[in-house]
């Protein structure tokens, strides 16, 4: 029996990993068999011989349309969705105490959990997130329910049961034994479900709410089942101070995770803002990834992650909404913010350099030369932000053989963008080339009321 072949002809944009650059193809043909890409051609004419075969369906994209890979949100708290946009008044630790722990506690109730989790997964899919890495809560059964909902809606995801054993509110926390036993139960139940799209991920919340014994116990479970790990790292200065006080033998926050055995090539470190060069080197040596969450970092006044430096240190970067910190369920919005915060960081650095060199050498002309010299790298560009949201995310989530771009052999995991759709923020004009179409899509947000 021959299987059905689908062919899509038109403009595509994706990250070409071999060339390490974005690829804009004006007239591509993607051939898909049983959900997998079997051919990608930049010259659509060669597929004419297939058109007569009955089992083929051919989709011709209009000049206003193009395909991009599905977007990847590598850090999102599903239970915090009801808090989206609320609680802008407090920094991280106070924000968790005031808004988040009380909300997450409610997910013991499976009816409430089903209501929120159905809405959040629908919302993510509506924003083009075809793959997500979710934090749940400490409640094993509601995390299993989240996995059921994700699978039933056809999203690809990693789902984590959160662990927190110290510095917890009275009514939202676990003992060390409960935490490890419930994690084993979560993993066992997920294995039984054997979902095609959803996998478990080990999830120590962060080193403020997990003492070394918890971190080590979870690292052992991850190693035993060969599972990925997600946690938060170096998001906020009070958080870092607390972690270092709790672990006096460690010089840095990253070292706490390293000593626990939590840094692996399947480890995803959300935020990772205030890292020293040594910490970046250690993350790079373990081939762990970081998740940049600029909307959340602005919202909680956490600081600015230097993505350009992180990238040049050889660390893989993904993007995350970090919902319900922040204000947006959209990875497209996160891409734009990543570009914005990097531009601001670069211009501040330029100013600092200029001030430093003018006070150093007391010579305005020299100062001018130095400030625009080679020391400073250019800020993040939109194409690299797109790489973070696609291949960067796929690499972080250990899914680079399945999603992230349109390489042959991967799943056909794609978004059809139509600039001419009803209520499109773009006034589409036919003369746009494929690159201009992409730039319009990238930068043209629209908040009409
Ligand atoms: N942004 C954010 N940071 C955290 N660090 C520990 N828990 C959280 C959380 O829920 N959100």
């Amino acid at each position: 029996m021959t299987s059905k072949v689908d062919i899509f002809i038109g403009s595509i944009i994706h990250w070409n990993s071999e060339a390490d650059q974005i690829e804009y193809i004006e007239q591509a043909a993607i051939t898909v068999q049983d959900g997998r890409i079997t051919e990608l051609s930049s010259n659509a004419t060669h597929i004419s011989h297939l058109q007569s075969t009955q089992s083929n369906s051919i989709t011709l994209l209009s000049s206003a349309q193009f395909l991009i890979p599905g977007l990847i949100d590598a850090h999102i708290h599903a239970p915090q969705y009801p808090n989206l946009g609320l609680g802008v008044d407090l920094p991280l630790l106070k924000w968790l105490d005031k808004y988040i722990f009380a909300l997450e506690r409610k997910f013991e109730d499976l009816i409430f959990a089903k209501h929120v989790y159905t809405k959040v997964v629908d919302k993510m899919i509506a924003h083009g997130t075809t793959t997500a890495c979710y934090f749940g809560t400490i409640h094993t059964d509601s995390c299993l329910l989240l996995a059921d909902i994700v699978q039933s809606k056809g999203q690809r995801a990693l789902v984590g049961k959160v662990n927190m054993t110290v510095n917890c509110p009275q009514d939202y926390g676990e003992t060390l034994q409960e935490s490890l036993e419930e994690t084993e139960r979560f993993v066992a139940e997920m294995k039984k479900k054997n979902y095609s799209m959803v996998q478990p991920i080990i999830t120590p919340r962060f080193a403020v709410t997990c003492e070394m014994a918890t971190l080590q116990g979870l690292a052992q479970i991850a190693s035993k089942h060969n599972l990925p790990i997600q946690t938060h790292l170096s998001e906020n200065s009070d958080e870092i101070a607390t972690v270092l006080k709790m672990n006096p033998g460690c010089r840095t926050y990253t070292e706490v995770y390293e000593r626990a055995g939590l840094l692996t090539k399947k480890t995803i470190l959300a935020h990772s803002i205030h890292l020293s060069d040594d910490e970046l080197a250690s993350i790079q040596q373990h081939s762990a990834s970081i998740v940049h969450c600029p909307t959340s970092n602005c919202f909680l006044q956490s600081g600015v992650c230097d993505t350009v430096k992180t990238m040049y240190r050889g660390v893989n970067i993904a993007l995350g909404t970090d919902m319900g910190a922040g204000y947006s369920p959209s990875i497209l919005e996160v891409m734009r913010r990543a570009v914005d915060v990097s531009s601001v960081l670069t211009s501040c650095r330029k100013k600092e350099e200029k001030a430093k060199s003018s006070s150093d050498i007391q010579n305005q002309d020299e100062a001018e030369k130095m400030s625009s010299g080679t020391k400073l790298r250019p800020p993040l560009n939109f194409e690299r932000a797109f790489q973070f949201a696609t291949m960067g995310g796929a690499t972080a989530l250990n899914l680079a053989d399945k999603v992230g771009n349109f390489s042959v052999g991967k799943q056909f995991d794609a978004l059809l963008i139509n600039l001419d759709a009803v209520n499109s923020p773009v006034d589409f004009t036919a003369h746009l080339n494929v690159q201009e179409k992409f730039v319009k899509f990238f930068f043209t947000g629209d908040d009409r009321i």
Side-chain angles (χ1 to χ4, degrees):
M1 204 179 85
T2 54
S3 50
K4 188 167 173 292
V5 176
D6 293 297
I7 300 163
F8 298 83
I9 299 175
S11 298
I12 72 156
I13 295 129
H14 74 153
W15 191 263
N16 181 327
S17 296
E18 272 154 40
D20 196 33
Q21 65 183 33
I22 199 165
E23 190 166 36
Y24 300 102
I25 312 180
E26 196 81 53
Q27 192 64 359
I30 299 187
T31 308
V32 178
Q33 203 161 352
D34 301 325
R36 271 183 59 243
I37 299 168
T38 55
E39 196 175 346
L40 169 61
S41 165
S42 52
N43 175 5
T45 52
H46 87 290
I47 50 88
S48 57
H49 65 282
L50 285 169
Q51 296 186 3
S52 56
T53 317
Q54 262 189 357
S55 59
N56 296 334
S57 91
I58 297 188
T59 305
L60 292 173
L61 308 188
S62 79
S63 61
Q65 297 175 327
F66 56 88
L67 291 172
I68 60 170
L71 301 176
I72 299 175
D73 188 340
H75 183 64
I76 159 171
H77 295 262
Q80 295 177 16
Y81 181 51
N83 197 64
L84 187 69
L86 303 178
V88 72
D89 54 329
L90 293 174
L92 177 67
L93 298 182
K94 290 185 176 142
W95 172 81
L96 287 170
D97 279 337
K98 181 167 174 188
Y99 297 103
I100 297 306
F101 293 148
L103 173 59
E104 290 193 8
R105 198 170 59 232
K106 293 187 186 168
F107 285 75
E108 194 173 5
D109 174 354
L110 291 179
I111 295 172
F112 180 71
K114 186 172 181 189
H115 174 71
V116 174
Y117 286 159
T118 303
K119 281 197 183 309
V120 69
V121 177
D122 282 343
K123 190 73 164 184
M124 304 283 289
I125 293 171
H127 282 80
T129 297
T130 58
T131 303
C133 190
Y134 290 108
F135 271 61
T137 60
I138 64 170
H139 315 102
T140 305
D141 293 312
S142 80
C143 293
L144 291 167
L145 179 65
L146 173 59
D148 296 343
I149 292 168
V150 170
Q151 172 75 20
S152 72
K153 290 183 178 292
Q155 197 183 39
R156 190 181 302 278
L158 302 178
V159 172
K161 175 230 167 297
V162 168
N163 300 87
M164 38 195 287
T165 52
V166 287
N167 296 321
C168 309
Q170 225 183 1
D171 46 5
Y172 188 54
E174 314 157 291
T175 64
L176 170 63
Q177 189 182 350
E178 280 164 355
S179 182
L180 300 183
E181 282 178 8
E182 282 297 294
T183 301
E184 284 282 14
R185 182 165 82 83
F186 178 67
V187 173
E189 291 295 325
M190 286 297 294
K191 280 192 177 172
K192 264 191 240 162
K193 289 177 189 286
N194 194 23
Y195 282 148
S196 56
M197 303 285 276
V198 191
Q199 307 298 321
I201 178 164
I202 300 302
T203 307
R205 180 167 213 129
F206 63 159
V208 173
T209 57
C210 295
E211 75 272 50
M212 188 49 89
T214 310
L215 299 174
Q216 284 170 336
L218 292 170
Q220 279 163 17
I221 294 175
S223 163
K224 178 172 144 196
H225 300 284
N226 190 22
L227 289 175
I229 296 162
Q230 63 178 345
T231 189
H232 298 87
L233 173 66
S234 208
E235 177 178 0
N236 164 290
S237 47
D238 291 337
E239 171 205 14
I240 299 167
T242 308
V243 170
L244 294 180
K245 206 166 159 199
M246 287 167 68
N247 298 276
C250 294
R251 281 166 307 131
T252 65
Y253 194 164
T254 303
E255 195 180 327
V256 175
Y257 290 149
E258 189 173 29
R259 282 206 192 177
L262 284 168
L263 289 193
T264 74
K265 65 176 193 301
K266 291 187 181 181
T267 300
I268 305 160
L269 301 161
H271 302 281
S272 300
I273 301 173
H274 310 282
L275 298 178
S276 65
D277 289 350
D278 281 354
E279 289 178 280
L280 281 174
S282 158
I283 292 168
Q284 190 272 334
Q285 274 157 20
H286 289 280
S287 302
S289 294
I290 73 141
V291 187
H292 180 40
C293 306
T295 52
S296 162
N297 295 345
C298 291
F299 198 81
L300 294 179
Q301 308 136 43
S302 301
V304 180
C305 173
D306 189 340
T307 47
V308 173
K309 174 171 145 187
T310 305
M311 200 172 76
Y312 276 94
R313 299 271 164 170
V315 175
N316 179 57
I317 303 177
L319 293 181
T321 56
D322 190 32
M323 269 212 302
Y327 48 83
S328 177
S330 161
I331 282 291
L332 180 56
E333 182 72 11
V334 171
M335 286 192 260
R336 293 186 189 121
R337 276 306 84 77
V339 171
D340 289 347
V341 295
S342 182
S343 296
V344 172
L345 189 64
T346 304
S347 62
C348 291
R349 291 259 165 84
K350 268 191 191 156
K351 214 167 156 190
E352 275 168 21
E353 287 286 317
K354 196 169 169 181
K356 190 168 165 279
S357 43
S358 57
S359 68
D360 280 356
I361 55 182
Q362 299 286 310
N363 177 333
Q364 290 303 321
D365 289 345
E366 275 300 302
E368 195 64 44
K369 252 190 259 161
M370 283 188 70
S371 68
S372 55
T374 52
K375 255 179 156 181
L376 281 167
R377 295 194 177 96
L380 184 75
N381 63 36
F382 68 92
E383 290 157 327
R384 184 56 72 171
F386 176 69
Q387 185 261 331
F388 293 171
T390 54
M391 276 313 298
T395 304
L397 273 50
N398 216 34
L399 293 170
D401 59 333
K402 292 193 173 64
V403 293
N405 66 9
F406 296 130
S407 289
V408 168
K410 292 198 188 187
Q411 297 293 308
F412 183 57
D413 181 317
L415 303 179
L416 173 60
I417 310 297
N418 181 8
L419 298 184
D420 215 12
V422 177
N423 287 332
S424 165
V426 178
D427 281 324
F428 177 71
T429 44
H431 72 277
L432 297 175
N433 67 30
V434 60
Q435 184 168 0
E436 289 165 337
K437 280 188 272 189
F438 181 71
V439 174
K440 287 252 183 195
F441 159 72
F442 192 101
F443 283 110
T444 314
D446 190 356
D447 294 318
R448 67 183 84 174
I449 309 173

